[in-house]
Every structure is written in C-alpha cells, then in structure tokens.
Amino acid sequence: MFNLPSGGERKKLVSILKKSGLPLTTSRIHLLHYLMQTQIPLTASDLSQQVNLPLSTTHRNLSTFADFGLVDFIVDRSSVCRWYLLTAGRPNFCPTCNQTYNAAY
C-alpha cells in the first residue's frame, strides 16, 4: 500500500529532484518516495500499480531517473527488469532472488 510522503519527506524528495536538475512533478515525487521505502527491486508494472500511476508514466520517469543516476535496474534470472534506488548503505543483492547488483555509490 502506498502512503503519501509526509511534509518532511516531501521536502527531502523535492531537494533530491532539484539537485538532479529534474522538473518537479507529483508522479516523480511519489515514485521516488516509493522506491525509497522498499528494499526490493521492483518491476515497472509493480511500481505503477503500487503508486497508482499509468505504466507509461512510470517507465518514462524510471528512464529519466536512470539517466540522472538516481535509479538502476537488474534483469533477474527470469529475464524480468527490476528497478531499485541507488543509495549508499543498501544491500547489494535482491532479497527476493538473491541476485547481486551494484550500487553506484
């Protein structure tokens, strides 16, 4: 279940997007917020459903986030693309499939 970011969380998300040079949109704020809440890399479809965004909007934002170094993806053993937030201190493996992946920093 998706919970909207609190006022403090929203300020942090806005700051991250501004520092990255990305225009602020509600969909970007909500998608980034959800990615910050989960430890498991998720498919674009799962993210779309969880954040209640159209799949096309989710894909577009994930691609933009990747271009700006905020997220990356793994392709799991089933050839499914799963997205995760690039954050220091996160485990470098998917707790679901145990596939390792590399965080940028």
Side-chain angles (χ1 to χ4, degrees), residues 21-80:
L22 291 167
L24 301 177
T25 65
T26 301
S27 61
R28 285 183 178 155
I29 291 169
H30 289 179
L31 186 57
L32 188 59
H33 176 64
Y34 193 81
L35 285 165
M36 292 180 82
Q37 303 302 309
T38 185
Q39 292 284 326
I40 300 171
L42 296 169
T43 65
S45 179
D46 289 340
L47 288 165
S48 172
Q49 291 172 5
Q50 292 297 321
V51 184
N52 197 26
L53 291 172
L55 184 56
S56 60
T57 300
T58 302
H59 271 291
R60 188 171 47 257
N61 282 318
L62 288 170
S63 293
T64 300
F65 287 169
D67 290 344
F68 284 82
L70 294 174
V71 301
D72 203 355
F73 65 90
I74 58 171
V75 178
D76 69 17
R77 294 180 181 129
S78 302
S79 298
V80 175

Side-chain angles (χ1 to χ4, degrees), residues 1 7 11 13-14 19-21 36 47 51-52 54 58 60 68 72-73 80 84 91 96-98 100 104-105:
M1 178 170 183
K11 285 181 183 178
L13 296 165
V14 166
K19 284 180 186 175
S20 298
M36 292 180 82
L47 288 165
V51 184
N52 197 26
T58 302
R60 188 171 47 257
F68 284 82
D72 203 355
F73 65 90
V80 175
Y84 62 93
T96 303
C97 68
N98 291 324
T100 59
Y105 45 102

